[in-house]
Amino acid sequence: MALFLCGALAAMYVGVLYAPPILLKIRAKTQRQLLLQRFVCATLASVLSPLVCFIILPVGSSSKLNLMGIRSDYLMQATLYPLLLTALLYLGPLFVELLELIDGEQGAANDHGFMASLIFLGQDVVAWRNYVVAPLSEEIVFRACMIPLLLCGGYSPTAAILISPTFFSLAHVHRFWELVHHERYTPKRAAFVVVAQLGYTIVFGCYAAFLYVRTGHLIAAVVPHIFCNIMGFPDLVRACQNRVLAVVHIVGLVAFMALAAPLSSPALYNNDVLDCKCWQGFCGASSSSKP
């Protein structure tokens, strides 16, 4: 049942994006109109999915919010520590941007520059999709809704971390149709892009789910999602061609691996908050320490 519900939420999230042109016969004439339509649809999915969870999750109302990672306690830790941890994976690109900023160059202001992304956010509807709407709506549906359903369905935290990204990844398959029909990609090129995206989304989905389960905070998955979308995929080719940059990349990766467990330790964020049995009153003395 938990898997079925997760699949239904993923199908709803994707399906609602195509509701205006297919069901309501409302067709966007420009990319801006299309994205604005999808903003409304993604918002709708982000509201309907938690409502489904509120009805189904076998715990009290206040416990449901906590189980879904909607908490106000330990908020600063849940925002800063996952962001710091994620930034270590991008130590190389951040190092390059810092050098360009010091040198006064504008090289970062192209596709995925961090400073450029912040500037474009106020002007570009695509930036709003990538850096605001998509991270928020996807984390609400695929982390805050699916992981509690899996946990209360009897799956272990590790299983939930590994299972939920599958639905997250498959929800991106619809991009093939858009690439071919809207962006005029050849089917072969579109398939390559989608397969690469599936691999990336599975890896990132596991990471976001790991942060969510360990911290018990939705914001701990949202902030790294926004940061990763801003930074884009690290330029590993450039890193291989520059010895200093390669060393910085390696230092960041080693630091990430060393700090992943300590910075995501449940003790930093109120331990056991994502234990469904605890919220049902079956976890023993530890449950009495919860807010």
Side-chain angles (χ1 to χ4, degrees), residues 25-238:
K25 306 301 181 183
I26 301 175
R27 301 194 177 277
K29 297 180 180 180
T30 64
Q31 184 191 40
R32 181 181 179 84
Q33 290 179 351
L34 176 62
L35 291 178
L36 290 176
Q37 278 185 8
R38 292 197 168 179
F39 289 176
V40 175
C41 293
T43 301
L44 179 62
S46 301
V47 172
L48 291 177
S49 295
L51 287 177
V52 171
C53 290
F54 253 78
I55 295 171
I56 294 174
L57 289 175
V59 293
S61 297
S62 60
S63 298
K64 288 176 182 178
L65 289 175
N66 285 277
L67 193 56
M68 295 169 66
I70 303 173
R71 303 165 50 196
S72 59
D73 60 324
Y74 301 87
L75 193 60
M76 182 174 294
Q77 295 97 313
T79 302
L80 295 180
Y81 292 164
L83 178 60
L84 173 61
L85 192 60
T86 308
L88 291 174
L89 290 173
Y90 288 89
L91 198 60
L94 289 173
F95 176 72
V96 171
E97 296 235 3
L98 178 61
L99 291 180
E100 291 175 340
L101 189 63
I102 293 174
D103 292 341
E105 297 180 7
Q106 299 300 317
N110 44 37
D111 292 331
H112 297 292
F114 181 72
M115 297 301 296
S117 298
L118 296 180
I119 294 172
F120 292 151
L121 183 58
Q123 312 167 8
D124 189 357
V125 69
V126 176
W128 275 95
R129 177 194 64 183
N130 293 340
Y131 311 142
V132 179
V133 178
L136 280 172
S137 61
E138 289 176 355
E139 293 307 321
I140 288 173
V141 174
F142 295 96
R143 247 64 72 181
C145 293
M146 290 190 183
I147 289 179
L149 287 173
L150 291 169
L151 293 175
C152 289
Y155 288 93
S156 68
T158 300
I161 290 172
L162 296 175
I163 292 173
S164 59
T166 303
F167 296 101
F168 178 58
S169 181
L170 292 176
H172 290 78
V173 172
H174 70 98
R175 281 284 294 157
F176 177 84
W177 187 86
E178 293 185 344
L179 290 172
V180 172
H181 292 276
H182 289 297
E183 301 184 31
R184 304 305 177 187
Y185 280 44
T186 64
K188 183 177 180 180
R189 184 186 176 195
F192 176 81
V193 171
V194 169
V195 169
Q197 189 175 35
L198 290 180
Y200 174 77
T201 50
I202 285 179
V203 173
F204 175 79
C206 287
Y207 175 57
F210 168 82
L211 291 174
Y212 179 81
V213 168
R214 296 271 290 176
T215 66
H217 267 280
L218 176 61
I219 193 69
V222 171
V223 171
H225 195 151
I226 294 172
F227 183 79
C228 287
N229 280 8
I230 289 175
M231 296 302 298
F233 197 80
D235 190 351
L236 299 180
V237 174
R238 184 177 182 181

